[in-house]
Amino acid sequence: EVQLLESGGDLVQPGGSLRLSCAASGFTFSNYGVSWVRQAPGTGLEWVSSIGTSGYSTYYSDSVKGRFTISRDNSKNTLYLQMNRLRAEDTARYYCAKHVGAGLIVDAFDIWGQGTLVTVSS
Amino acid sequence: DIVMTQSPASLAVSLGERATINCKSSRSVLNTSRNKNYLSWYQQKPGQPPKLLIYWASTRESGVPDRFSGSGSGTDFTLTISSLQAEDVAVYYCHQYYDTPLTFGGGTKVEIK
């Protein structure tokens, strides 16, 4: 079964850091781009970042650029999101999502994890 | 940024009736060289992650019931549920992947009348 499983969400103080992980299984992880998408409580979906198959190509939303870093370890079938200088407005459930087409750095998302909750509050 | 505007924000439809959701992009998401619209639709039920329904504006994802269909090109798109079922109660989002930042519509909540 194709699956994504996020972890690492927590309560953190403003200005703090957190690293999210997303473990992939059931498909050849290294063949697909993957992304992070977040959803603040009671609101809609917001794209955060995407990464290509090798990890060299990355994109970020303006709201996280310079604070968040996306990376992947294809040997561990795992996607990461390093989140620094966290703000209250980063509070959200963070989903990792697999791209539909092999090799595409931007694409629709066909597989989503259940998400991990990040709360930024003092 | 490409702004995605969905309408209506909410929709109440009787069981078995048609539901139509519109999505307008602030600029074209059609790649003319590939003749593909970089537009997808998702369904999200409470407490669940989004589920892909449609990509390339009209290609139904595997396993999605054929009562769901997508249409449109350029800047104007539609998701149609031909005969609403109780399990279709959810929020629906359109999404453009033509250009970064990738953007989503604000969502349309579909309920039973």
Side-chain angles (χ1 to χ4, degrees):
Chain A
E1 181 190 4
V2 178
Q3 201 169 5
L4 297 170
L5 184 63
E6 303 93 336
S7 60
D10 205 348
L11 171 63
V12 60
Q13 291 189 339
S17 297
L18 211 54
R19 188 175 86 153
L20 305 184
S21 299
C22 171
S25 59
F27 66 101
T28 305
F29 180 69
S30 59
N31 285 354
Y32 292 88
V34 278
S35 294
W36 289 99
V37 176
R38 68 185 181 184
Q39 187 169 35
T43 71
L45 302 168
E46 179 189 10
W47 170 75
V48 173
S49 182
S50 297
I51 189 167
T53 55
S54 65
Y56 291 116
S57 297
T58 58
Y59 291 113
Y60 297 93
S61 68
D62 284 348
S63 60
V64 308
K65 196 175 298 181
R67 300 188 299 123
F68 291 10
T69 302
I70 191 171
S71 62
R72 63 190 296 163
D73 185 337
N74 287 340
S75 68
K76 296 182 178 179
N77 293 336
T78 303
L79 172 70
Y80 302 100
L81 186 68
Q82 178 66 44
M83 311 165 69
N84 298 331
R85 305 202 309 272
L86 282 160
R87 306 167 179 166
E89 54 264 36
D90 295 319
T91 294
R93 179 166 292 275
Y94 285 73
Y95 297 100
C96 62
K98 169 187 167 292
H99 297 185
V100 172
L104 298 180
I105 187 172
V106 287
D107 203 357
F109 309 126
D110 60 350
I111 303 297
W112 297 65
Q114 289 297 314
T116 188
L117 185 61
V118 173
T119 303
V120 184
S121 175
S122 54
Chain B
D1 298 6
I2 299 177
V3 177
M4 307 300 289
T5 303
Q6 284 184 237
S7 62
S10 63
L11 183 61
V13 175
S14 301
L15 288 172
E17 295 300 305
R18 179 184 299 261
T20 301
I21 301 169
N22 300 301
C23 175
K24 187 174 184 65
S25 58
S26 60
R27 57 185 170 94
S28 177
V29 298
L30 171 64
N31 182 316
T32 53
S33 61
R34 298 189 65 195
N35 195 32
K36 285 185 178 292
N37 287 282
Y38 286 50
L39 188 285
S40 60
W41 289 96
Y42 301 86
Q43 174 194 66
Q44 188 177 32
K45 297 180 180 180
Q48 295 185 19
K51 173 187 174 183
L52 177 65
L53 298 175
I54 303 285
Y55 58 100
W56 299 132
S58 61
T59 300
R60 195 179 303 114
E61 171 69 340
S62 175
V64 172
D66 61 7
R67 63 180 180 273
F68 291 92
S69 63
S71 62
S73 184
T75 61
D76 291 279
F77 301 91
T78 300
L79 175 70
T80 301
I81 309 172
S82 60
S83 175
L84 191 75
Q85 304 300 303
E87 60 265 33
D88 301 334
V89 169
V91 178
Y92 294 82
Y93 296 94
C94 61
H95 163 233
Q96 68 80 18
Y97 47 103
Y98 181 84
D99 194 13
T100 58
L102 309 185
T103 48
F104 292 88
T108 295
K109 187 174 185 178
V110 174
E111 300 172 310
I112 305 296
K113 184 188 292 183

